[in-house]
Amino acid sequence: MRCAVLGDPVAHSLSPSLHRAGYAALGLEATYDAVRVPAGGLAGFVAGLGPEWRGLSVTAPLKREALALADEVSDLAVLAGGANTLVRTPTGWLADNTDVPGAVAAIRERFAGDLSTATVLGGGATAASVGLALADLGIGAITVAARNPANAAAAVAAIERHPSAPRVVVVPLDEVGRAGNVLVSTVPAAAQTDDLVGRVLPADVVFEVTYNEWPTPLVAAALSAGATVVSGLDLLVHQAVLQFGMFTGHDGPLDAMRSAGEAALAAR
């Protein structure tokens, strides 16, 4: 069985370390590689795959292309507006999204309390996926703060399509205030100024979707205040565990895959 993560750039991806650790832990005969596929190239790449190929993890800039080429698309991938997972089925390729349930699992692993309000910094595709996860958790009021609110329209529309119909408010990033129960950051560390950090904190949970430049200014301040912190590695591991199950038919070994991710990060 062959699997891979596709994107551009993709050499930095931790996914091969996670999935290979899972195969080793369960004694599975399988390979998992990182393959650079530029924008516009996904359909051609998939068309050339042999029958030994079982699953593909899809990263930027290919998540919308994955929807277009699939023979079957899950409701969740349609809702999110992108697929991060392609799985071969007897009738072709299924496009699905494990980012949303992965984010739900990442938050609930760290925090079990009630949640009702949230703020998401940034308005791109990651903001849409995590926003849908917040709605899955029962959060009914979500603020999306973006440098250019108009550019957040697709993310806001995706969140508003959630069956729970959360109330979504969009504000400029430089005007956002207190976060509420959950603060999600999809903005780079360089954008996390002292002013921004001071305006949005405190929060019960701070979900920093990056795992580089750790700790970011938001994470450092949140840890100092005693908040629960959820990391981008938490998200990556939980979505990978779900993909692993879809690719192999076996439950992904969470601890082994997380340890491999931590080791790979430490080695950088």
Side-chain angles (χ1 to χ4, degrees):
M1 184 182 76
R2 297 188 67 182
C3 299
V5 57
L6 314 178
D8 185 20
V10 76
H12 67 287
S13 176
L14 293 178
S15 292
S17 296
L18 302 182
H19 284 263
R20 290 169 184 170
Y23 300 154
L26 299 186
L28 300 178
E29 291 291 333
T31 65
Y32 189 106
D33 298 300
V35 181
R36 178 181 173 272
V37 177
L42 183 61
F45 177 83
V46 171
L49 299 181
E52 72 277 12
W53 285 86
R54 170 63 179 168
L56 302 169
S57 306
V58 182
T59 64
L62 305 174
K63 292 184 178 183
R64 290 190 180 277
E65 292 181 39
L67 288 182
L69 72 83
D71 303 283
E72 180 182 0
V73 180
S74 74
D75 291 341
L76 183 54
V78 172
L79 184 64
N84 75 325
T85 306
L86 286 170
V87 185
R88 190 189 290 276
T89 72
T91 57
W93 289 92
L94 165 68
D96 206 344
N97 185 301
T98 65
D99 285 330
V100 176
V104 171
I107 292 171
R108 277 307 182 206
E109 181 184 33
R110 303 294 184 189
F111 188 85
D114 293 332
L115 301 169
S116 61
T117 60
T119 295
V120 181
L121 306 181
T126 301
S129 293
V130 180
L132 289 169
L134 297 174
D136 272 355
L137 289 165
I139 293 176
I142 300 172
T143 298
V144 175
R147 288 173 179 166
N148 183 347
N151 292 341
V156 171
I159 299 168
E160 290 179 332
R161 288 195 299 268
H162 190 277
S164 69
R167 180 173 61 87
V168 184
V169 176
V170 187
V171 300
L173 187 63
D174 59 6
E175 296 179 14
V176 66
R178 191 60 51 82
N181 297 132
V182 183
L183 172 65
V184 178
S185 174
T186 71
V187 301
Q192 298 175 14
T193 62
D194 291 343
D195 174 66
L196 177 63
V197 172
R199 282 188 284 115
V200 296
L201 294 179
D204 298 319
V205 179
V206 172
F207 189 171
E208 173 59 83
V209 301
T210 188
Y211 46 76
N212 296 311
E213 301 179 88
W214 197 266
T216 63
L218 276 170
V219 168
L223 290 172
S224 295
T228 296
V229 171
V230 182
S231 74
L233 182 60
D234 293 329
L235 170 59
L236 183 67
V237 170
H238 278 285
Q239 68 81 26
V241 165
L242 294 170
Q243 285 184 337
F244 186 97
M246 297 174 70
F247 295 167
T248 70
H250 298 275
D251 291 340
L254 176 64
D255 291 342
M257 294 172 73
R258 190 200 307 276
S259 295
E262 292 170 345
L265 271 181
R268 290 184 172 180

